[in-house]
Amino acid sequence: MVASVGTYDWLLFLHVVSAFALVAALVLFTALVVATRRVDRPSIALLFFRLVRPGSLLVAVGSLLTLVFGVWLAIYLDAYHPWDDWILAAIVLWVIATGAGQRAGVRFGEARALAERLGGSGDDAPSSELRAAIRDRQAVVLHAVTSVSTLVILVLMIWKPGA
């Protein structure tokens, strides 16, 4: 007997795959934040910054589709509603994570622009200014807010408190 795949199965699959893409991107960005802590040469910084574009694509697609398919699931299933407390909390955390992530991206983008400017001059000497830009405390804190918010969303999605 062959089991058929219904709408619920597809919605859940797409929701989980989207969440996986988002979490994979956050892991990539966390690895970049850690790996670049001591980088002060433009050429090395630019090697790391090459990974930002695919990570940004994963974040954009993953975060948007996770929200879309999650809300669609809440509407589709009789057991849940978009106004359930745990779903509303997840949506609020999604907004926080998205906003913090965008702001962190802008700050790290400034470090990338500096690395490109320094590297474009042909001088690959160590730069304390580049090192400071990469280690920007506000960017790191914003990335941490994004990561923690996303982790709490995952906890809410798994345990569904109050459901």
Short mmCIF file of all heavy atoms in Angstrom, two decimals, residues 70-122:
data_model
loop_
_atom_site.label_atom_id
_atom_site.label_comp_id
_atom_site.label_asym_id
_atom_site.label_seq_id
_atom_site.Cartn_x
_atom_site.Cartn_y
_atom_site.Cartn_z
N GLY A 70 4.41 28.49 8.02
CA GLY A 70 3.97 28.35 9.40
C GLY A 70 2.58 28.91 9.62
O GLY A 70 1.72 28.28 10.25
N VAL A 71 2.33 30.11 9.10
CA VAL A 71 0.99 30.71 9.21
C VAL A 71 -0.02 29.88 8.42
O VAL A 71 -1.14 29.64 8.88
CB VAL A 71 1.01 32.18 8.75
CG1 VAL A 71 -0.39 32.75 8.64
CG2 VAL A 71 1.85 33.02 9.71
N TRP A 72 0.38 29.42 7.25
CA TRP A 72 -0.51 28.58 6.44
C TRP A 72 -0.89 27.31 7.20
O TRP A 72 -2.05 26.89 7.19
CB TRP A 72 0.19 28.25 5.13
CG TRP A 72 -0.68 27.68 4.04
CD1 TRP A 72 -1.95 27.19 4.14
CD2 TRP A 72 -0.32 27.55 2.66
NE1 TRP A 72 -2.39 26.75 2.91
CE2 TRP A 72 -1.40 26.96 1.99
CE3 TRP A 72 0.83 27.86 1.94
CZ2 TRP A 72 -1.37 26.67 0.62
CZ3 TRP A 72 0.86 27.58 0.59
CH2 TRP A 72 -0.24 27.00 -0.06
N LEU A 73 0.08 26.70 7.87
CA LEU A 73 -0.21 25.52 8.68
C LEU A 73 -1.20 25.85 9.80
O LEU A 73 -2.12 25.07 10.07
CB LEU A 73 1.07 24.96 9.29
CG LEU A 73 1.85 23.96 8.48
CD1 LEU A 73 3.24 23.74 9.08
CD2 LEU A 73 1.10 22.64 8.38
N ALA A 74 -0.99 26.98 10.46
CA ALA A 74 -1.88 27.37 11.56
C ALA A 74 -3.31 27.61 11.06
O ALA A 74 -4.27 27.34 11.79
CB ALA A 74 -1.35 28.63 12.25
N ILE A 75 -3.44 28.10 9.85
CA ILE A 75 -4.77 28.30 9.27
C ILE A 75 -5.36 26.97 8.80
O ILE A 75 -6.55 26.70 9.00
CB ILE A 75 -4.69 29.31 8.09
CG1 ILE A 75 -4.34 30.70 8.63
CG2 ILE A 75 -5.99 29.34 7.30
CD1 ILE A 75 -3.96 31.70 7.55
N TYR A 76 -4.52 26.13 8.23
CA TYR A 76 -4.97 24.86 7.65
C TYR A 76 -5.46 23.88 8.72
O TYR A 76 -6.46 23.19 8.53
CB TYR A 76 -3.84 24.25 6.81
CG TYR A 76 -4.22 22.97 6.13
CD1 TYR A 76 -4.97 22.99 4.95
CD2 TYR A 76 -3.84 21.73 6.65
CE1 TYR A 76 -5.33 21.81 4.32
CE2 TYR A 76 -4.19 20.56 6.03
CZ TYR A 76 -4.94 20.60 4.85
OH TYR A 76 -5.30 19.43 4.23
N LEU A 77 -4.76 23.81 9.83
CA LEU A 77 -5.07 22.84 10.87
C LEU A 77 -6.15 23.38 11.82
O LEU A 77 -6.07 24.52 12.26
CB LEU A 77 -3.82 22.48 11.67
CG LEU A 77 -2.73 21.76 10.89
CD1 LEU A 77 -1.48 21.62 11.74
CD2 LEU A 77 -3.21 20.38 10.44
N ASP A 78 -7.10 22.54 12.14
CA ASP A 78 -8.15 22.94 13.08
C ASP A 78 -7.63 23.08 14.51
O ASP A 78 -8.19 23.82 15.31
CB ASP A 78 -9.30 21.92 13.06
CG ASP A 78 -10.06 21.94 11.73
OD1 ASP A 78 -10.05 23.00 11.07
OD2 ASP A 78 -10.63 20.90 11.37
N ALA A 79 -6.54 22.37 14.82
CA ALA A 79 -6.01 22.37 16.18
C ALA A 79 -5.31 23.68 16.55
O ALA A 79 -5.17 23.98 17.73
CB ALA A 79 -5.04 21.21 16.36
N TYR A 80 -4.86 24.44 15.57
CA TYR A 80 -4.11 25.66 15.83
C TYR A 80 -4.77 26.84 15.12
O TYR A 80 -5.49 26.68 14.15
CB TYR A 80 -2.66 25.53 15.33
CG TYR A 80 -1.95 24.31 15.85
CD1 TYR A 80 -1.40 23.39 14.97
CD2 TYR A 80 -1.83 24.06 17.21
CE1 TYR A 80 -0.74 22.26 15.43
CE2 TYR A 80 -1.19 22.94 17.68
CZ TYR A 80 -0.64 22.04 16.78
OH TYR A 80 0.00 20.93 17.24
N HIS A 81 -4.45 28.02 15.64
CA HIS A 81 -4.94 29.26 15.05
C HIS A 81 -3.80 30.27 15.06
O HIS A 81 -2.98 30.27 15.98
CB HIS A 81 -6.13 29.82 15.83
CG HIS A 81 -7.26 28.85 15.94
ND1 HIS A 81 -8.09 28.53 14.89
CD2 HIS A 81 -7.68 28.09 16.99
CE1 HIS A 81 -8.98 27.64 15.27
NE2 HIS A 81 -8.76 27.35 16.55
N PRO A 82 -3.74 31.15 14.08
CA PRO A 82 -2.67 32.15 14.06
C PRO A 82 -2.63 33.04 15.29
O PRO A 82 -1.60 33.62 15.60
CB PRO A 82 -2.96 32.98 12.79
CG PRO A 82 -3.77 32.08 11.93
CD PRO A 82 -4.57 31.22 12.88
N TRP A 83 -3.73 33.13 16.02
CA TRP A 83 -3.77 33.98 17.22
C TRP A 83 -3.50 33.20 18.51
O TRP A 83 -3.59 33.77 19.60
CB TRP A 83 -5.11 34.71 17.31
CG TRP A 83 -6.30 33.80 17.23
CD1 TRP A 83 -6.88 33.11 18.27
CD2 TRP A 83 -7.04 33.44 16.07
NE1 TRP A 83 -7.92 32.36 17.82
CE2 TRP A 83 -8.05 32.54 16.46
CE3 TRP A 83 -6.94 33.80 14.72
CZ2 TRP A 83 -8.95 31.99 15.55
CZ3 TRP A 83 -7.84 33.25 13.83
CH2 TRP A 83 -8.83 32.36 14.26
N ASP A 84 -3.11 31.93 18.41
CA ASP A 84 -2.68 31.19 19.60
C ASP A 84 -1.45 31.89 20.18
O ASP A 84 -0.60 32.39 19.43
CB ASP A 84 -2.33 29.74 19.25
CG ASP A 84 -3.56 28.90 18.92
OD1 ASP A 84 -4.69 29.35 19.21
OD2 ASP A 84 -3.39 27.79 18.37
N ASP A 85 -1.36 31.90 21.51
CA ASP A 85 -0.27 32.63 22.17
C ASP A 85 1.11 32.23 21.68
O ASP A 85 1.96 33.08 21.43
CB ASP A 85 -0.36 32.44 23.69
CG ASP A 85 -1.56 33.15 24.29
OD1 ASP A 85 -2.14 34.02 23.61
OD2 ASP A 85 -1.93 32.81 25.44
N TRP A 86 1.38 30.93 21.57
CA TRP A 86 2.70 30.48 21.18
C TRP A 86 3.01 30.84 19.72
O TRP A 86 4.17 31.09 19.39
CB TRP A 86 2.89 28.98 21.43
CG TRP A 86 1.98 28.08 20.65
CD1 TRP A 86 0.69 27.73 20.93
CD2 TRP A 86 2.30 27.42 19.43
NE1 TRP A 86 0.20 26.89 19.98
CE2 TRP A 86 1.17 26.67 19.04
CE3 TRP A 86 3.44 27.36 18.64
CZ2 TRP A 86 1.13 25.90 17.89
CZ3 TRP A 86 3.41 26.58 17.49
CH2 TRP A 86 2.26 25.86 17.12
N ILE A 87 2.01 30.91 18.88
CA ILE A 87 2.23 31.31 17.49
C ILE A 87 2.47 32.82 17.42
O ILE A 87 3.38 33.28 16.71
CB ILE A 87 1.05 30.89 16.59
CG1 ILE A 87 0.98 29.35 16.53
CG2 ILE A 87 1.18 31.49 15.19
CD1 ILE A 87 -0.22 28.80 15.78
N LEU A 88 1.69 33.60 18.17
CA LEU A 88 1.92 35.05 18.21
C LEU A 88 3.31 35.36 18.77
O LEU A 88 4.00 36.25 18.26
CB LEU A 88 0.84 35.74 19.03
CG LEU A 88 -0.55 35.79 18.41
CD1 LEU A 88 -1.56 36.40 19.38
CD2 LEU A 88 -0.53 36.57 17.10
N ALA A 89 3.71 34.63 19.80
CA ALA A 89 5.05 34.84 20.37
C ALA A 89 6.13 34.52 19.33
O ALA A 89 7.11 35.26 19.21
CB ALA A 89 5.24 33.96 21.61
N ALA A 90 5.92 33.46 18.56
CA ALA A 90 6.88 33.10 17.52
C ALA A 90 6.95 34.18 16.44
O ALA A 90 8.04 34.51 15.95
CB ALA A 90 6.53 31.76 16.91
N ILE A 91 5.81 34.74 16.09
CA ILE A 91 5.79 35.81 15.07
C ILE A 91 6.50 37.05 15.58
O ILE A 91 7.27 37.69 14.85
CB ILE A 91 4.35 36.10 14.61
CG1 ILE A 91 3.79 34.90 13.83
CG2 ILE A 91 4.29 37.37 13.77
CD1 ILE A 91 2.30 34.97 13.53
N VAL A 92 6.26 37.41 16.84
CA VAL A 92 6.95 38.57 17.43
C VAL A 92 8.46 38.32 17.45
O VAL A 92 9.25 39.20 17.07
CB VAL A 92 6.42 38.88 18.85
CG1 VAL A 92 7.31 39.86 19.57
CG2 VAL A 92 4.99 39.40 18.77
N LEU A 93 8.85 37.13 17.85
CA LEU A 93 10.28 36.80 17.85
C LEU A 93 10.86 36.79 16.44
O LEU A 93 12.01 37.17 16.22
CB LEU A 93 10.51 35.44 18.53
CG LEU A 93 10.35 35.46 20.04
CD1 LEU A 93 10.27 34.04 20.58
CD2 LEU A 93 11.49 36.22 20.69
N TRP A 94 10.05 36.37 15.46
CA TRP A 94 10.48 36.40 14.06
C TRP A 94 10.77 37.84 13.63
O TRP A 94 11.77 38.11 12.97
CB TRP A 94 9.41 35.77 13.16
CG TRP A 94 9.76 35.74 11.71
CD1 TRP A 94 10.41 34.74 11.05
CD2 TRP A 94 9.47 36.74 10.73
NE1 TRP A 94 10.55 35.07 9.73
CE2 TRP A 94 9.98 36.29 9.50
CE3 TRP A 94 8.84 37.98 10.78
CZ2 TRP A 94 9.88 37.04 8.33
CZ3 TRP A 94 8.73 38.73 9.61
CH2 TRP A 94 9.24 38.25 8.41
N VAL A 95 9.89 38.77 14.03
CA VAL A 95 10.10 40.19 13.70
C VAL A 95 11.37 40.70 14.37
O VAL A 95 12.18 41.41 13.74
CB VAL A 95 8.87 41.03 14.11
CG1 VAL A 95 9.16 42.52 14.01
CG2 VAL A 95 7.66 40.66 13.27
N ILE A 96 11.58 40.35 15.63
CA ILE A 96 12.79 40.76 16.36
C ILE A 96 14.03 40.19 15.68
O ILE A 96 15.01 40.90 15.43
CB ILE A 96 12.70 40.34 17.84
CG1 ILE A 96 11.63 41.15 18.55
CG2 ILE A 96 14.07 40.47 18.53
CD1 ILE A 96 11.27 40.64 19.94
N ALA A 97 14.00 38.89 15.38
CA ALA A 97 15.15 38.24 14.75
C ALA A 97 15.46 38.85 13.38
O ALA A 97 16.62 39.10 13.05
CB ALA A 97 14.90 36.74 14.61
N THR A 98 14.41 39.11 12.62
CA THR A 98 14.61 39.68 11.29
C THR A 98 15.18 41.09 11.37
O THR A 98 16.14 41.43 10.67
CB THR A 98 13.27 39.69 10.52
OG1 THR A 98 12.78 38.35 10.42
CG2 THR A 98 13.44 40.26 9.13
N GLY A 99 14.62 41.90 12.25
CA GLY A 99 15.13 43.27 12.40
C GLY A 99 16.56 43.31 12.90
O GLY A 99 17.40 44.05 12.36
N ALA A 100 16.86 42.51 13.91
CA ALA A 100 18.23 42.47 14.45
C ALA A 100 19.20 41.93 13.40
O ALA A 100 20.32 42.44 13.25
CB ALA A 100 18.28 41.63 15.72
N GLY A 101 18.78 40.92 12.67
CA GLY A 101 19.63 40.35 11.63
C GLY A 101 19.93 41.33 10.52
O GLY A 101 21.07 41.42 10.05
N GLN A 102 18.93 42.08 10.12
CA GLN A 102 19.16 43.10 9.08
C GLN A 102 20.13 44.17 9.56
O GLN A 102 21.02 44.59 8.83
CB GLN A 102 17.83 43.73 8.66
CG GLN A 102 16.98 42.81 7.82
CD GLN A 102 15.60 43.39 7.52
OE1 GLN A 102 15.15 44.33 8.17
NE2 GLN A 102 14.93 42.82 6.54
N ARG A 103 19.95 44.60 10.80
CA ARG A 103 20.85 45.63 11.35
C ARG A 103 22.27 45.10 11.49
O ARG A 103 23.24 45.82 11.22
CB ARG A 103 20.32 46.15 12.68
CG ARG A 103 19.06 47.00 12.48
CD ARG A 103 18.48 47.54 13.76
NE ARG A 103 19.45 48.34 14.49
CZ ARG A 103 19.43 48.50 15.80
NH1 ARG A 103 18.49 47.94 16.53
NH2 ARG A 103 20.33 49.24 16.39
N ALA A 104 22.40 43.84 11.91
CA ALA A 104 23.74 43.23 12.00
C ALA A 104 24.37 43.14 10.62
O ALA A 104 25.57 43.41 10.44
CB ALA A 104 23.65 41.84 12.63
N GLY A 105 23.56 42.79 9.63
CA GLY A 105 24.06 42.70 8.26
C GLY A 105 24.57 44.03 7.74
O GLY A 105 25.59 44.08 7.04
N VAL A 106 23.90 45.11 8.10
CA VAL A 106 24.37 46.44 7.70
C VAL A 106 25.72 46.73 8.33
O VAL A 106 26.65 47.21 7.67
CB VAL A 106 23.33 47.52 8.08
CG1 VAL A 106 23.91 48.92 7.95
CG2 VAL A 106 22.07 47.37 7.22
N ARG A 107 25.85 46.42 9.61
CA ARG A 107 27.12 46.70 10.31
C ARG A 107 28.26 45.86 9.73
O ARG A 107 29.35 46.37 9.49
CB ARG A 107 26.98 46.41 11.82
CG ARG A 107 25.91 47.19 12.55
CD ARG A 107 26.24 48.63 12.66
NE ARG A 107 27.38 48.83 13.53
CZ ARG A 107 27.56 49.89 14.27
NH1 ARG A 107 26.66 50.86 14.27
NH2 ARG A 107 28.63 50.02 15.00
N PHE A 108 28.00 44.57 9.49
CA PHE A 108 29.04 43.72 8.90
C PHE A 108 29.30 44.13 7.45
O PHE A 108 30.42 43.98 6.94
CB PHE A 108 28.67 42.25 9.01
CG PHE A 108 28.84 41.69 10.40
CD1 PHE A 108 27.77 41.10 11.05
CD2 PHE A 108 30.06 41.76 11.05
CE1 PHE A 108 27.92 40.58 12.33
CE2 PHE A 108 30.22 41.24 12.34
CZ PHE A 108 29.14 40.65 12.98
N GLY A 109 28.28 44.66 6.77
CA GLY A 109 28.46 45.16 5.41
C GLY A 109 29.43 46.34 5.38
O GLY A 109 30.19 46.51 4.41
N GLU A 110 29.40 47.16 6.41
CA GLU A 110 30.34 48.27 6.52
C GLU A 110 31.77 47.75 6.65
O GLU A 110 32.70 48.32 6.07
CB GLU A 110 29.97 49.17 7.69
CG GLU A 110 28.67 49.93 7.48
CD GLU A 110 28.14 50.59 8.75
OE1 GLU A 110 28.77 50.47 9.83
OE2 GLU A 110 27.08 51.24 8.66
N ALA A 111 31.94 46.66 7.40
CA ALA A 111 33.27 46.05 7.53
C ALA A 111 33.72 45.49 6.18
O ALA A 111 34.89 45.62 5.80
CB ALA A 111 33.24 44.94 8.58
N ARG A 112 32.80 44.90 5.43
CA ARG A 112 33.14 44.38 4.10
C ARG A 112 33.55 45.52 3.17
O ARG A 112 34.53 45.40 2.42
CB ARG A 112 31.96 43.63 3.52
CG ARG A 112 32.25 43.08 2.15
CD ARG A 112 31.04 42.43 1.52
NE ARG A 112 31.43 41.80 0.29
CZ ARG A 112 30.86 40.74 -0.22
NH1 ARG A 112 29.86 40.17 0.39
NH2 ARG A 112 31.28 40.23 -1.35
N ALA A 113 32.80 46.61 3.20
CA ALA A 113 33.13 47.76 2.34
C ALA A 113 34.52 48.30 2.68
O ALA A 113 35.29 48.67 1.78
CB ALA A 113 32.07 48.85 2.50
N LEU A 114 34.84 48.33 3.97
CA LEU A 114 36.16 48.78 4.39
C LEU A 114 37.23 47.83 3.86
O LEU A 114 38.27 48.28 3.35
CB LEU A 114 36.24 48.89 5.92
CG LEU A 114 37.60 49.26 6.51
CD1 LEU A 114 38.04 50.63 5.99
CD2 LEU A 114 37.53 49.25 8.03
N ALA A 115 37.00 46.53 3.96
CA ALA A 115 37.97 45.55 3.45
C ALA A 115 38.15 45.70 1.94
O ALA A 115 39.28 45.62 1.44
CB ALA A 115 37.51 44.13 3.79
N GLU A 116 37.07 45.96 1.22
CA GLU A 116 37.16 46.16 -0.23
C GLU A 116 37.94 47.44 -0.56
O GLU A 116 38.75 47.47 -1.48
CB GLU A 116 35.77 46.22 -0.85
CG GLU A 116 35.08 44.87 -0.87
CD GLU A 116 33.62 44.94 -1.28
OE1 GLU A 116 33.03 46.05 -1.29
OE2 GLU A 116 33.05 43.87 -1.57
N ARG A 117 37.68 48.48 0.22
CA ARG A 117 38.38 49.75 0.00
C ARG A 117 39.88 49.59 0.28
O ARG A 117 40.71 50.02 -0.51
CB ARG A 117 37.77 50.83 0.90
CG ARG A 117 38.09 52.22 0.50
CD ARG A 117 37.25 53.28 1.20
NE ARG A 117 37.19 53.18 2.66
CZ ARG A 117 36.10 52.80 3.34
NH1 ARG A 117 34.99 52.47 2.72
NH2 ARG A 117 36.13 52.74 4.65
N LEU A 118 40.20 48.95 1.39
CA LEU A 118 41.61 48.74 1.73
C LEU A 118 42.29 47.79 0.74
O LEU A 118 43.43 48.02 0.33
CB LEU A 118 41.74 48.19 3.16
CG LEU A 118 41.34 49.13 4.28
CD1 LEU A 118 41.31 48.39 5.61
CD2 LEU A 118 42.27 50.33 4.35
N GLY A 119 41.58 46.73 0.36
CA GLY A 119 42.14 45.77 -0.58
C GLY A 119 42.27 46.34 -1.97
O GLY A 119 43.18 45.96 -2.73
N GLY A 120 41.38 47.25 -2.34
CA GLY A 120 41.42 47.87 -3.66
C GLY A 120 42.62 48.77 -3.85
O GLY A 120 43.05 49.02 -4.98
N SER A 121 43.17 49.23 -2.75
CA SER A 121 44.34 50.11 -2.85
C SER A 121 45.62 49.31 -3.10
O SER A 121 46.68 49.88 -3.32
CB SER A 121 44.49 50.94 -1.58
OG SER A 121 44.85 50.11 -0.49
N GLY A 122 45.50 47.98 -3.06
CA GLY A 122 46.67 47.12 -3.32
C GLY A 122 47.50 46.85 -2.09
O GLY A 122 48.43 46.07 -2.13
#
